[in-house]
Amino acid sequence: MARYVIEPDRYEGPCVFQRGEKGSFFVSMRDQSPIYGNVSLISVNVVEKGKAKVSGLTIFENNSWWGSAVRSEENPACWQGSGFQVCAY
């Protein structure tokens, strides 16, 4: 379990945190309910040091591409993209 924060609409709370390779991770709710809007799983896929691709899986099982993100220098638990931020603690 971990705590997540997603912006710009500021969703936060407990979540299931699953580690991936090279710092990648996934966050979801324990009961698979939406974690942000209609998104039930958020994937932060690290492609190189400090850079990731972020996407979501909706409750309708559609992929939702969020975009590229960079790791925050101020808070390394956060990944910032154009118009969004995903943090997992």
Side-chain angles (χ1 to χ4, degrees):
M1 292 299 291
R3 184 174 73 86
Y4 75 95
V5 177
I6 302 170
E7 300 202 46
D9 297 328
R10 187 78 182 177
Y11 282 72
E12 65 180 296
C15 68
V16 174
F17 178 90
Q18 299 173 320
R19 291 184 192 271
E21 294 182 17
K22 300 179 182 178
S24 298
F25 64 91
F26 307 90
V27 292
S28 63
M29 301 302 286
R30 185 180 300 241
D31 64 0
Q32 300 303 311
S33 64
I35 192 167
Y36 183 83
N38 67 358
V39 175
S40 61
L41 175 90
I42 297 172
S43 169
V44 177
N45 182 24
V46 177
V47 293
E48 63 182 75
K49 186 174 180 173
K51 296 182 180 179
K53 293 182 179 181
V54 180
S55 61
L57 182 65
T58 71
I59 57 175
F60 309 109
E61 297 188 9
N62 296 319
N63 286 319
S64 169
W65 170 250
W66 291 24
S68 298
V70 295
R71 193 169 207 164
S72 170
E73 292 182 16
E74 294 175 7
N75 187 348
C78 297
W79 292 84
Q80 300 170 321
S82 179
F84 70 90
Q85 176 173 272
V86 176
C87 305
Y89 303 95

